[in-house]
Amino acid sequence: MNFTEIAKARQSCRKYDRERAVEEEKLDAILESARLAPSACNGQPYHLTVCRGESASEVAKAVMGMGMNKFAADATVLIVISEENYVASAALGAKVKGNDYRSMDIGIVAAYITAEATAQGLGSCILGWLDDEKIRKICGLDKPVRLVITIGYPADDDTLRTKKRKSVEELVTEKK
């Protein structure tokens, strides 16, 4: 699969096959892609906690508040992305330029994780609706949880949906 094919095939999986576990080599490929993701000053200001089994069930409960994300209970892997400190050069840049590089870097690593999951034939969904305090306790984290990504095999009836996106003309302005 080339990158455009991955982008066309990737969608937020809302129905997982809970009976089919993610193979170690596929999870390893996802984590290696995350390791290679670019970040400000190569600082990687985030930590990934891979949850399976009981910890995945507990984290799933912590993203299902108010009836949200019920499908998370069927994902066999949940990756918790927590925020870490900046490296000194990125911290200085963030202060001088007023940019939140950590949020950008977390978004980039999430994109790499979900793209590689798709390349591996897996489904994924990026979740921002979460109970930070509960997830920190489950995972033994002392820094804020920013995202949780569900990963697993899509259920057989979870078919590719039509993408609703802006046209290139609406999205892009070219200046010469």
Side-chain angles (χ1 to χ4, degrees):
M1 247 187 217
N2 69 38
F3 188 79
T4 301
E5 292 168 332
I6 292 169
K8 288 179 179 178
R10 199 257 156 214
Q11 67 181 2
S12 294
C13 184
R14 298 285 197 304
K15 194 169 188 185
Y16 291 98
D17 179 351
R18 71 179 343 172
E19 302 304 317
R20 196 165 171 203
V22 174
E23 296 89 344
E24 287 298 319
E25 60 272 9
K26 291 186 177 191
L27 183 56
D28 289 346
I30 291 167
L31 297 174
E32 179 63 8
S33 289
R35 188 184 73 79
L36 296 172
S39 61
C41 303
N42 295 316
Q44 298 175 298
Y46 43 76
H47 181 79
L48 308 178
T49 304
V50 176
C51 299
R52 294 188 264 188
E54 186 58 35
S55 67
S57 296
E58 291 302 311
V59 171
K61 289 175 191 171
V63 300
M64 296 190 311
M66 296 179 66
M68 301 291 287
N69 304 319
K70 292 179 183 178
F71 56 87
D74 292 329
T76 57
V77 175
L78 282 82
I79 298 177
V80 174
I81 304 177
S82 54
E83 183 178 283
E84 289 291 327
N85 296 329
Y86 282 121
V87 294
S89 54
L92 177 61
K95 185 173 179 121
V96 170
K97 291 299 183 180
N99 276 327
D100 180 5
Y101 296 119
R102 274 188 294 228
S103 292
M104 294 176 207
D105 293 343
I106 288 169
I108 293 166
V109 77
Y112 270 57
I113 288 168
T114 59
E116 185 60 39
T118 300
Q120 294 294 327
L122 300 168
S124 62
C125 190
I126 303 168
L127 307 176
W129 182 272
L130 53 86
D131 187 323
D132 173 64
E133 189 176 313
K134 283 184 184 176
I135 296 173
R136 281 193 208 196
K137 190 172 188 179
I138 294 162
C139 296
L141 301 169
D142 62 355
K143 300 269 182 21
V145 173
R146 296 300 183 205
L147 295 174
V148 172
I149 301 177
T150 56
I151 296 176
Y153 281 95
D156 289 338
D157 60 348
D158 186 51
T159 57
L160 188 60
R161 300 178 296 276
T162 302
K163 293 194 181 295
K164 297 175 184 158
R165 303 290 193 271
K166 293 178 180 179
S167 68
V168 171
E169 294 76 23
E170 292 174 287
L171 190 62
V172 177
T173 300
E174 185 175 341
K175 298 287 186 179
K176 293 185 180 183

